Structures are given as structure tokens and as C-alpha cells.
């Protein structure tokens, strides 16, 4: 016997152990073991002798209970029949499963024709010896168990105590409800874990299926048939027809089905597989999540599901072991690694996006900061210039103040302003010079010394920042002139006026080379273009503010619209879910009863019970038909797709035919129906079928919800002398509806709680149809309930 000691962390292992498995001694005859396995409830569709009687009262059995009869543990010294242990402790000797039974059929140890087992064949001779087992311990969890299942391709894992005694058995069916992290299953697709199925034709016999199960060591075989389809594609030269053929799954057979067939003494060689295969199949798409697969298994009480493509072709199969494989530490490590790679990729993309966005933001911040600084400098200089203007209209004073501020701020040796004359002459019109430096004020020199070009038609107005004269790419003539003037670095900024070059502001450094900072260049540029930038900045700022306000308003309006749409969609979604839930429940109930009756007709041979089940089939078919007709009628009325065809209806001859059909019904419950008509009933213009349906539904409700020996009152009122004449049809019965329930009784599928103690049933659509029909006829419907009576009043125009 091999023991596995997986290194695990902590998990609820105790909850998943089945502590009441089937146990036998090695000397137990195999025939008796098969009988014991047959007596335990299983998930197969073929009931044996004991389960045949239990099948008359079907009930849902958990999967971990269904599989208990599929495995037997063989002990050296098991418990005695009285429940007392022998003096010697029991130990695990072997294990026997459904797959072992299938192998025995294939190997001929069990006769597949008469299902006979040799009387002297003991369980010890056919059991799997030295099975894989696990020692129970508090420091183990289910993750290690999953690895054991996967590594050894087993479905049953015995659990032993520290002393070697059998504690119980673990199966995937027991583990799945305990260990099921929904987040992981929602992230994985069915296509990631589905396995290629073993298939067989529906014409194969059960014995052939048993051989396939034994040969491939699987627990199930998918039954398929070849389906051929034609597909037409449009081409330039015409329409081409392409023929496709694929395997379409029609059923599934498990090892348990084969064993159950043995139990009910079926001839495996002569029994075709379609007699016992499970159909219809519960199918999924490859793109569905594993969480959807888990929910389907849980709702349908299935161990495995078939995977089909878009055209219905068989693509794979998924089992509970596949779901648990996702939770295996190795598999989870792969998922984590894959997710980590995705995270790394997303982080890289995020960093790249952030970097790009940061650059844009930094650039935007720099631009806005520069603009704000320009605005501040412009405001300061404009204030000073405005002050100078108020004090004097002399432009020279304004320029002198500007160069003085620049020279003081930059700590430069000289700051001058050149006025470019039409004759390509630059005249120094303003100057601020450091102590010990010569003055240039009033000097005139050729413009080529201050411009990049000596051609007036090609004057360059770009900013020039030269940190070292000798290292700069300048003409020899200009270098000689700068050397003579002892200028080693300079910064030139053009002064533009109405798009034309007015002059130049030049800053000189004579003491040595100097690297000009961008902020210094920006300052001179702002000073040179103060007025234009100030005006432009104010206009741009106002435009930006207006645009931002408009955008914010549009965003708020759009957000409000989206929120309103979301609320409407949520409301519609809730209404849709409620309607679908109710309709599906009402439609499934008759189908379930019909399915049960059909199933019992197959297995019950007596004629009296067959007649009873046929009656159930007939009543449930009628119920299903009425529900569908009511739904269709209600849908037609709500859609209002067909106009109402009105005709002349003579009430004096027509109303008695409606009432007469209810007299026999009232007699069966000793009820009385009281009818009150005027002496003369008019001929009205209405729809005979719709009005008849309204009165029949109201009378039917009166009979249904009145007690035995109760009274139903049908009254007709009409006043022909009144110009606004209305026909009133009133149906009253001895039953009172609570005031809180009155607004709901006309809702689809709504039934007043505890209002039908006789369990007569109904679709819950009658009053909803009545209301729609009355509205279609142009009338009004009212209901009053008090003092033990309920009265429905229909008013229709004559």
C-alpha cells in the first residue's frame, strides 16, 4: 500500500471525507458485494428492484451520496454486524469500484448475457490491492489531495487514521462543494481544461461500451452520430455549396450505467446503448467560464458535461475532476504565472502610458507656467510702462526702465536696445551698463552685427543665445567685431510690433563665457513681446475658461442622461428576470410531471397505474397548453397587433349559454349560482369571443375560490333611457381578498396567498387577460372586496 504525505497548508479536509463508505471483508462473495452496491442509491437512470419502488417518489440526491455505491473498501478486520469491533484493528486490504466491474465484464469473469457471477468468486480475488491511501492529519489540506488524484488518475482515495484504521474515503464529488473559489473559476474558460472524449456510435451495444471503458480506462463514453450540413457561400462566379460533416453528441453512458444494467439483469451484448444512455445532454460552449460549468453541475446534479461548438459539433468533455484540476497547486501556479505575465505587460503598458501622459502633462504645465509667468511679468512691466506713460510720453524712458530691470535681474555687464532703421542701421536707443564698462548709447552700427543676415528681405528674428563667441558658428567678421567690443557671450531677443521687426534687445557678458538659462531667455522674450503676449494671453485664457465651462456642462448633462439610462436598464433587467423566473417555473412544473409520468409508464406494467399516469399526462398537457395559450393571448393583447372586430350581440339569447356551462360545475361542490337579469336585455355592439372569455374567467374564479355550498351571484344592469348607457356585468362570490392584495391581483402570474385551500391550481394569467380584454373592448374593470364577499364589475358601452 502506498501512502502519500503531501506538503500542504491548511484546509477543511475533515468536511470532505465520506465517513460511511461501503466496507466488506476479503472473504465476502463477489455476488454479495454487487448486491450491496446495488442497494445504495446511484445516479443512473436504470432503477433496479429496490430503487424501482423509490423512483415513484423522486428526490434530488447530492452527487457525493450518489457515488457512495460506486466504491467498496475491503478491510482485513471490518466492523462486526452488531457494530462492535473485533479485538484486532481493521486495516485496508483493497478497493473495488465500478470500473473494476466493467473490466470483469470485458475479461469474461462476469457473463454479459445472463449477468451471472461465479458463486465461489470472492472479492479478494478481484479487488485492486495496495490502493493509494492518505493518512488523516490536521496539517494536511485538499490541495495535496488534488495532486494525488491527478498524479495517479484515480477517483477514490481512502483515508486512514494514524493507527492505520479506515476513516473514510475522498472523491472529487465530496471535495468540490468544500473547495470552490468562485473567482478562479470565473477567470478560466471551459476550453482550457476540457479533455478529448471517447466516443461510440448509438448502434453500439453495452458490451462494446464496456470494452471501450476498460480499454481506455475512462468513466464515461459520449454517444455520437454523424451529422451532415450544407453551407452556401457567395462568390463572384455564383453561389457555392460546401458540405460539412461532424460528430454530434446525442447521449452519454458511464461506467455506473453499465454496472446498473448488470444489476437489473440486462443482456449487455444484446442491449443497444441508446436504451440506457442519458439524453438530452447538458452542453456548454468552449467560451463558457468554469463557474458556469460548476453551476450547471450543481443545478443538474451531473458529474460531467459535454462541450459543443457553434454548429453543435462535439469538442470535448468536462468533469468535476477537471474543475478540481484548476485548484491543483501546480495548475494554480501556472495560472498565477500567466496572470503575472499579464500584470507585467499591463504594468509596462501603464508605465508607458503614464510616461507619455506625464510628458504631455509636464509640457502642458510648462506651457501654462510659462504663460502664467509671462502674464505676471507682462502685468508688472505693463504696470511700470503705464506708470511711465502717465508720468511721461517719452518712449526712451520706458525702454531705459526695461533695460535697467533686465540688467539688474540677470547681473549682466550690458543690456542694450537696438532700433533697426530702414537703412539697415542699428541704433542703440536704450542702455544699462555695469560699472567699468563703456557706454554705447547713441552708437550706430550695421545691422549685420546684430542680425543673422545682412539682407533686409531675409532678416532673422529668432532668439540667439551664444554662450561662447569663439565656440559658436559665427562669421569671422562678426567674431572680430565681438572680440573688439570685449563681448564673450550674448543673448539676443527680437522686438516685434504688428508682425514687423521693430528692434532687438541684446544682453552682453564681457567678463567671460556664460550658459544662458531657458528661464533667462524666456524673461527677455516676455519683455520683448509684453503687450502682444498680454493681450493674447487674456484672450486665450478667456477662451479656455469658456471652453472648459461648456465641456463641464456637457459632461454633467451626458452623465445625468447615462445615469438615467442605467437606472431604466436596471429596472427593465429586474422586470425581465422576474418574468423569466416565473414563466420558466410555470412551464417546467407540467413538463416535470409529464416526464415523471412517461418514466413511470415505461417501468410500471399494470394497466390501472398506466391509466392513472396517462390521466396525469393528459391533465398536465392541458395545463401546459392553457398556460401557453394564455401567454400568447396576453402577448397579443399587450402588443395590440390585431384590431377588435365588433359585432351585434343579443344578450338575451347569448348570456344563458355562458351561464349554463357553470351550473354542472357548481353542483359538484354543492354551490349555487344566482342570476339576475333585467326584463329586457339590449343588443350591444361588442366582440362575442372576448366578452365571453371575460365573463367565463370571472365565473370560473367565483366557482374556484368559493367554499363548498357557497353562492355565486351573476348580475346584469342596464339603463336604456340614459344617453350615456353602460352595461354592467357583476360577478360576486363568498370570498374576501385582503385590501393589501387588491392592487396586485391583475398582475401576471400573481395569486393571492392561501386563497386556494382546495389546491385547484391555475396559471395566474386569468385576471391579467380579463383586464386587457376589457380595455380592448373600451370598458372598465373594478373589484371590491369586503364583508366576506368579492365583486368584479365590468362596464361596457352599448
Amino acid at each position: 500500500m502506498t501512502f502519500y504525505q503531501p506538503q500542504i497548508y491548511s484546509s477543511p479536509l475533515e468536511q470532505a471525507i465520506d465517513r460511511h463508505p461501503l466496507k466488506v471483508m476479503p472473504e465476502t462473495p463477489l455476488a454479495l458485494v454487487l448486491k450491496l452496491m446495488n442497494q445504495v442509491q446511484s445516479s443512473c437512470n436504470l432503477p433496479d428492484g429496490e430503487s424501482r419502488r423509490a423512483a415513484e417518489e423522486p428526490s434530488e440526491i447530492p452527487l457525493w451520496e450518489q457515488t457512495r455505491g460506486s466504491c467498496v473498501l475491503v478491510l482485513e478486520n471490518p466492523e462486526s454486524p452488531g457494530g462492535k469491533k473485533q479485538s484486532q484493528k481493521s486495516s485496508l486490504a483493497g478497493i473495488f469500484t465500478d470500473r473494476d466491474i466493467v473490466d470483469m465484464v470485458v475479461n469474461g469473469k462476469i457473463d454479459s448475457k445472463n449477468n451471472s457471477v461465479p458463486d465461489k468468486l470472492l472479492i479478494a480475488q478481484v479487488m485492486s490491492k495496495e490502493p493509494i491511501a492518505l493518512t488523516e492529519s490536521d496539517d494536511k489540506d485538499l490541495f495535496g489531495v488534488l495532486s494525488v488524484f491527478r498524479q495517479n488518475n484515480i477517483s477514490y482515495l481512502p483515508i486512514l487514521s494514524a493507527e492505520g484504521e479506515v476513516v473514510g474515503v475522498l472523491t472529487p464529488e465530496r471535495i468540490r462543494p468544500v473547495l470552490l473559489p468562485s473567482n478562479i473559476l470565473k477567470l478560466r474558460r471551459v476550453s482550457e481544461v476540457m479533455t478529448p472524449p471517447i466516443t461510440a456510435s448509438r448502434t453500439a451495444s453495452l458490451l462494446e461500451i464496456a470494452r471501450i471503458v476498460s480499454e481506455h480506462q475512462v468513466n464515461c463514453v459520449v454517444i455520437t452520430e454523424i451529422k451532415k450540413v450544407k453551407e452556401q457561400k457567395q462568390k463572384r462566379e455564383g453561389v457555392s455549396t460546401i458540405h460539412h460533416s461532424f460528430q454530434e453528441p446525442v447521449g452519454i453512458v458511464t461506467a455506473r450505467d453499465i454496472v446498473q444494467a448488470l444489476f437489473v439483469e440486462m443482456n449487455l451484448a444484446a442491449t443497444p446503448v441508446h436504451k440506457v444512455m442519458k439524453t438530452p445532454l447538458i452542453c456548454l460552449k468552449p467560451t463558457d467560464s468554469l463557474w458556469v460549468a460548476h453551476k450547471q453541475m450543481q443545478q443538474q446534479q451531473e458529474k460531467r458535461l459535454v462541450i459543443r461548438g457553434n454548429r453543435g459539433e462535439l469538442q470535448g468533455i468536462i468533469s468535476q475532476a477537471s474543475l478540481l484540476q484548476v485548484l491543483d497547486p501546480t495548475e494554480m501556479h501556472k495560472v498565477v504565472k500567466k496572470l503575472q505575465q499579464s500584470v507585467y505587460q499591463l504594468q509596462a503598458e501603464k508605465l508607458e502610458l503614464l510616461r507619455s501622459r506625464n510628458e504631455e502633462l509636464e509640457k502642458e504645465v510648462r506651457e501654462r507656467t510659462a504663460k502664467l509667468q509671462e502674464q505676471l511679468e507682462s502685468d508688472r512691466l505693463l504696470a511700470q510702462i503705464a506708470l511711465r506713460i502717465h508720468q511721461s510720453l517719452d518712449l526712451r524712458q520706458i525702454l531705459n526702465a526695461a533695460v535697467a530691470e533686465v540688467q539688474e535681474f540677470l547681473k549682466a555687464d550690458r543690456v542694450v536696445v537696438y532700433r533697426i532703421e530702414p537703412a539697415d542701421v542699428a541704433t542703440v536707443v536704450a542702455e544699462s551698463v555695469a560699472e567699468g564698462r563703456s557706454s554705447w548709447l547713441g552708437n550706430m552700427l550695421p545691422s549685420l552685427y546684430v542680425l543673422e543676415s545682412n539682407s533686409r528681405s531675409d532678416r532673422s528674428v529668432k532668439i540667439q543665445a551664444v554662450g561662447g563667441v569663439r565656440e559658436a558658428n559665427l562669421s569671422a567678421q562678426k567674431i572680430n567685431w565681438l572680440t573688439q567690443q570685449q563681448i564673450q557671450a550674448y543673448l539676443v531677443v527680437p522686438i516685434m510690433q504688428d508682425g514687423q521687426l521693430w528692434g532687438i534687445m541684446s544682453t552682453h557678458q564681457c567678463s567671460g563665457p556664460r550658459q544662458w538659462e531657458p528661464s533667462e531667455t524666456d524673461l527677455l522674450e516676455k519683455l520683448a513681446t509684453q503687450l502682444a503676449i498680454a493681450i493674447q494671453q487674456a484672450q486665450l485664457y478667456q477662451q479656455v475658461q469658456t471652453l472648459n465651462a461648456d465641456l463641464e456642462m456637457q459632461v454633467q448633462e451626458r452623465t445625468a442622461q447615462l445615469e438615467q439610462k442605467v437606472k431604466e436598464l436596471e429596472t427593465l433587467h429586474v422586470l425581465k428576470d422576474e418574468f423569466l423566473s416565473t414563466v420558466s417555473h410555470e412551464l417546467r412544473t407540467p413538463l416535470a410531471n409529464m416526464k415523471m409520468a412517461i418514466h413511470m409508464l415505461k417501468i410500471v406494467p399494470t394497466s390501472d397505474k398506466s391509466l392513472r399516469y396517462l390521466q396525469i399526462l393528459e391533465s398536465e398537457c392541458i395545463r401546459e397548453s392553457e398556460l401557453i395559450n394564455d401567454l400568447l393571448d396576453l402577448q397579443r393583447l399587450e402588443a395590440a397587433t390585431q384590431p377588435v372586430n365588433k359585432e351585434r350581440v343579443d344578450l338575451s339569447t347569448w348570456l344563458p349559454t355562458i351561464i349554463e356551462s357553470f351550473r354542472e360545475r357548481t353542483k359538484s361542490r354543492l354551490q349555487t349560482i344566482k342570476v339576475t337579469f333585467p326584463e329586457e336585455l339590449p343588443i350591444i355592439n361588442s366582440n362575442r369571443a372576448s366578452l365571453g372569455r371575460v365573463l367565463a374567467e370571472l365565473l370560473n374564479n367565483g366557482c374556484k375560490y368559493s367554499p363548498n355550498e357557497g353562492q355565486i351571484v351573476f348580475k346584469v344592469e342596464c339603463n336604456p333611457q340614459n344617453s350615456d348607457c353602460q352595461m354592467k356585468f357583476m360577478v360576486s362570490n363568498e370570498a374576501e381578498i385582503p385590501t393589501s392584495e387588491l392592487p396586485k391581483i391583475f398582475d401576471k402570474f400573481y395569486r393571492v396567498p392561501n386563497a386556494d385551500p382546495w389546491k385547484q391550481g391555475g396559471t395566474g394569467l386569468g385576471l391579467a387577460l380579463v383586464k386587457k380584454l376589457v380595455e380592448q373592448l373600451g370598458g372598465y374593470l373594478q373589484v371590491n372586496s369586503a364583508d366576506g364577499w368579492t365583486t368584479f364589475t365590468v362596464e361596457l358601452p352599448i
Side-chain angles (χ1 to χ4, degrees), residues 4-13 134-148 157 159 170 179 327-329:
Y4 279 80
Q5 304 288 341
Q7 299 195 359
I8 320 176
Y9 317 102
S10 62
S11 71
L13 181 63
L134 184 69
T135 303
E136 184 183 33
S137 175
D138 294 335
D139 62 347
K140 297 188 174 71
D141 70 3
L142 296 178
F143 289 110
V145 175
L146 295 179
S147 297
V148 175
L157 183 62
I159 306 300
L170 275 174
L179 183 61
L327 306 179
D328 187 285

Side-chain angles (χ1 to χ4, degrees), residues 557-768:
E557 293 177 355
R558 186 58 179 167
T559 302
Q561 294 175 0
L562 289 176
E563 289 177 352
Q564 181 65 25
K565 291 295 183 181
V566 169
K567 291 180 181 179
E568 294 176 359
L569 288 175
E570 289 177 351
T571 302
L572 292 175
H573 185 69
V574 171
L575 293 175
K576 180 205 69 176
D577 289 345
E578 292 178 354
F579 177 75
L580 290 178
S581 176
T582 306
V583 170
S584 61
H585 173 74
E586 293 294 336
L587 290 173
R588 282 180 179 177
T589 301
L591 290 175
N593 293 335
M594 287 188 285
K595 185 177 180 181
M596 182 274 294
I598 293 172
H599 179 71
M600 297 308 299
L601 282 172
K602 292 180 179 180
I603 63 175
V604 176
T606 56
S607 59
D608 54 346
K609 290 187 177 181
S610 298
L611 180 61
R612 179 162 64 90
Y613 291 128
L614 285 173
Q615 292 173 349
I616 293 175
L617 273 176
E618 183 179 10
S619 63
E620 293 300 327
C621 285
I622 294 174
R623 179 182 175 186
E624 187 80 6
S625 177
E626 290 177 350
L627 177 59
I628 293 174
N629 289 334
D630 288 347
L631 282 171
L632 294 176
D633 291 342
L634 191 58
Q635 176 64 25
R636 176 179 55 81
L637 292 173
E638 290 180 343
T641 56
Q642 297 181 356
V644 179
N645 297 321
K646 293 187 178 182
E647 56 188 324
R648 294 172 61 83
V649 181
D650 188 354
L651 296 179
S652 59
T653 59
W654 179 73
L655 279 178
T657 62
I658 299 297
I659 299 169
E660 190 63 30
S661 61
F662 288 91
R663 294 192 181 277
E664 290 299 326
R665 178 172 179 176
T666 56
K667 289 180 182 179
S668 64
R669 295 180 58 191
L670 303 179
Q671 296 171 335
T672 58
I673 181 168
K674 182 180 179 181
V675 182
T676 304
F677 289 165
E679 293 183 0
E680 295 183 2
L681 286 173
I683 297 176
I684 65 173
N685 189 28
S686 183
N687 184 277
R688 190 188 304 268
S690 297
L691 181 58
R693 181 71 179 274
V694 169
L695 298 180
E697 286 289 346
L698 294 178
L699 288 171
N700 180 59
N701 272 3
C703 296
K704 179 188 293 186
Y705 297 110
S706 294
N708 294 338
E709 302 182 2
Q711 188 179 36
I712 298 94
V713 178
F714 180 57
K715 186 177 181 181
V716 181
E717 293 183 357
C718 177
N719 186 5
Q721 286 74 26
N722 190 347
S723 60
D724 187 18
C725 183
Q726 298 281 333
M727 288 296 305
K728 289 187 178 181
F729 302 92
M730 293 174 286
V731 178
S732 304
N733 66 296
E734 292 185 73
E736 185 173 349
I737 301 175
T739 305
S740 60
E741 303 296 329
L742 285 176
K744 307 175 186 177
I745 62 175
F746 297 108
D747 294 342
K748 291 178 285 189
F749 297 104
Y750 182 78
R751 302 178 69 185
V752 179
N754 303 320
D756 185 13
W758 304 279
K759 306 298 180 183
Q760 301 173 85
T763 64
L765 296 174
L767 292 179

Side-chain angles (χ1 to χ4, degrees), residues 305-516:
L305 302 174
V306 173
I307 314 302
R308 299 203 311 180
N310 295 331
R311 293 181 296 182
E313 71 275 13
L314 176 63
Q315 291 195 351
I317 191 169
I318 185 172
S319 64
Q320 297 185 74
S322 302
L323 292 180
L324 294 177
Q325 179 184 351
V326 177
L327 306 179
D328 187 285
T330 303
E331 292 295 325
M332 293 181 68
H333 176 73
K334 295 179 181 178
V335 174
V336 170
K337 190 173 181 180
K338 183 177 180 181
L339 291 176
Q340 285 179 342
Q341 294 176 351
S342 300
V343 169
Y344 293 153
Q345 182 178 357
L346 290 175
Q347 287 179 341
E349 294 176 356
K350 179 181 178 182
L351 290 175
E352 179 62 24
L353 181 62
L354 288 176
R355 186 190 62 79
S356 175
R357 184 56 179 163
N358 283 338
E359 292 179 355
E360 295 176 1
L361 290 175
E362 289 176 0
K363 182 178 179 181
E364 184 178 353
V365 167
R366 286 196 300 269
E367 291 176 355
R368 292 193 176 187
T369 302
K371 290 180 181 180
L372 289 175
Q373 289 177 350
E374 291 171 3
Q375 183 68 43
L376 291 175
E377 292 294 332
S378 298
D379 291 343
R380 183 175 65 84
L381 293 179
L382 284 175
Q384 293 180 356
I385 293 173
L387 182 61
R388 296 289 184 180
I389 292 174
H390 287 297
Q391 293 176 349
S392 173
L393 297 176
D394 190 356
L395 179 60
R396 181 173 296 180
Q397 293 181 2
I398 298 173
L399 294 177
N400 287 336
V403 295
E405 290 181 3
V406 173
Q407 194 267 334
E408 178 65 24
F409 180 78
L410 296 181
K411 307 299 180 183
D413 293 331
R414 182 186 294 112
V415 177
V416 296
V417 173
Y418 296 99
R419 177 74 168 96
I420 304 300
E421 303 293 345
D424 289 335
V425 175
T427 303
V428 178
V429 295
E431 176 191 52
S432 178
V433 64
E435 185 178 356
R437 300 299 174 183
S438 60
S439 176
W440 288 11
L441 186 62
N443 290 352
M444 299 177 64
L445 66 154
S447 60
L448 63 90
Y449 290 143
V450 295
L451 298 175
E452 291 185 358
S453 175
N454 59 359
S455 173
R456 187 172 182 85
S457 62
D458 187 26
R459 292 179 177 180
S460 176
V461 293
K462 294 190 295 184
I463 297 175
Q464 304 174 47
V466 177
V469 171
R470 298 189 181 278
E471 291 79 15
N473 185 18
L474 302 174
S475 64
Q477 185 180 7
K478 190 169 185 178
I479 292 176
N480 291 334
W481 180 82
L482 292 171
T483 303
Q484 292 174 2
Q485 303 299 323
Q486 298 179 347
I487 299 174
Q488 299 195 36
Y490 65 90
L491 178 60
V492 174
V493 178
I495 299 174
M496 305 299 295
Q497 187 179 51
D498 296 331
Q500 299 295 324
L501 181 62
W502 179 88
I504 291 174
M505 178 181 288
S506 181
T507 303
H508 301 160
Q509 195 71 30
C510 301
S511 58
R514 175 174 178 172
Q515 294 297 325
W516 303 102

Side-chain angles (χ1 to χ4, degrees), residues 229-247:
V229 295
K230 293 190 299 183
E231 181 181 357
Q232 292 184 344
K233 288 190 175 182
Q234 191 73 29
K235 293 186 176 181
R236 293 182 179 178
E237 58 273 11
V239 178
S240 63
T241 303
I242 302 175
H243 296 270
H244 297 282
S245 63
F246 54 84
Q247 286 187 330

